[in-house]
Amino acid sequence: MIGNRINPLANRPSAELLDRMRVLPVANISDVMARLEAGGPRIRPLHTGGALCGPAFTVKTRPGDNLFVHHALDLAEPGDVLVVDGGGDLTNALMGEMMLAYAEKRGLAGVVLNGAMRDYGYIRANSFPVYAAGITHRGPYKNGPGEINVPVAFDGMVISPGGIMVGDDDGVVCVPLDHALATVEAAEKKQSAERRQMEAILEGTNDRSWVQQAIANI
């Protein structure tokens, strides 16, 4: 029944694929996915440094309630990214210092929260990846309902359980598992091309003729 589903995370990407994805800029991944996937500008990094990469262990909860977030922390496996859809509501913080310390102790790769965090000083002082839509001191309720490992969506970006969450200073993106290999290959090519372009910029040899050509074609 909707409202109480607790599903296992059946599919996880290989360690090799995650290692390749982890070193790629989120912007490059976004570009090769046609710039159609984005979790919205509110989902921002709160931690100090530290890249995010791992399969999404998703939670859908009633705004202001974190009972199923607690349950997910006990079920997720090392390397998973806890992805919580709290409806984008910022009235109550769904996680804070103690829950994040527990997540890190259990070996999770990070947390992405469509909702509010608290204990910002703790988060900011650490490198454990934390992305959220806001901050508030007001705490949560623990009554449910909620669901675990069901598809969720942040500003139109659909996150299915097991999809690869990648985050850096620019925000987060979810790469669907079925498209992960093609995406990483395309993003690697783009990153190589951008390195060559940067070298040309620094050497003063970059070709800017495309600008005038584009203007002429307007």
Side-chain angles (χ1 to χ4, degrees), residues 76-94:
E77 296 185 5
D80 289 346
V81 176
L82 187 68
V83 179
V84 181
D85 182 11
D89 181 76
L90 304 181
T91 307
N92 299 82
L94 297 183

Side-chain angles (χ1 to χ4, degrees), residues 45-88:
L46 303 183
H47 58 292
T48 300
L52 173 80
C53 186
F57 194 97
T58 66
V59 182
K60 188 173 183 64
T61 185
R62 180 171 64 88
D65 193 289
N66 74 352
L67 177 61
F68 276 73
V69 182
H70 276 282
H71 192 32
L73 283 174
D74 291 329
L75 297 177
E77 296 185 5
D80 289 346
V81 176
L82 187 68
V83 179
V84 181
D85 182 11

